[in-house]
Amino acid sequence: GQNIDQPTEMTATEGAIVQINCTYQTSGFNGLFWYQQHAGEAPTFLSYNVLDGLEEKGRFSSFLSRSKGYSYLLLKELQMKDSASYLCAVTKAAGNKLTFGGGTRVLVKP
Amino acid sequence: NAGVMQNPRHLVRRRGQEARLRCSPMKGHSHVYWYRQLPEEGLKFMVYLQKENIIDESGMPKERFSAEFPKEGPSILRIQQVVRGDSAAYFCASSPPPGRETQYFGPGTRLLVL
């Protein structure tokens, strides 16, 4: 089976940094994705980690440790528009289905 | 390059009716995935298809649900004899052939069963 855990909700202040953690226990692992989903909208792709380490993309960075079954998404210089749910998802093999965590709702306050 | 397209965006059905949800993948993408998102819950995988072939249907309910991706035309998710518990957002995602596996999501179809 697969178990993916992430916090349900986080609150942060505009301009600050927030780190969203994701831990997973899966029978087989290929890669880990982060998606952003605004209320009532489709998930949009943020990042994809296959190898250990940090991937930086503008204000967003994602980290993966395969040995620890752990990832985080780092959001810097928070903006009000970053208020959304952030979804962690894993795949067992290339081209395979995504298995999602429950999502973390981030609320950015002025 | 148009993204993943889904229609209708909103669908209202009465209990016992049929719902047909359509998905056209991004140009150049040959793999289609359907996911369901119940209110206040995470996305759950339903089925994975390539043209004329179901690859993985492990997330599909055993009854009333079916999916196809014909040689020509969009992928169809069909729900027969809908019940209130089928009310959800249904998202389609597409990806290129294996090796470049990022899945891109469509805007979803929000099904409401009265």
Side-chain angles (χ1 to χ4, degrees), chain A residues 6-33:
Chain A
Q6 47 182 134
T8 305
E9 207 167 276
M10 301 180 75
T11 302
T13 305
E14 193 175 12
I17 298 173
V18 70
Q19 177 174 315
I20 306 168
N21 297 325
C22 173
T23 57
Y24 61 90
Q25 292 173 314
T26 59
S27 53
F29 175 84
N30 179 257
L32 187 143
F33 291 81

Side-chain angles (χ1 to χ4, degrees), chain B residues 28 41 93 99:
Chain B
E41 291 190 16

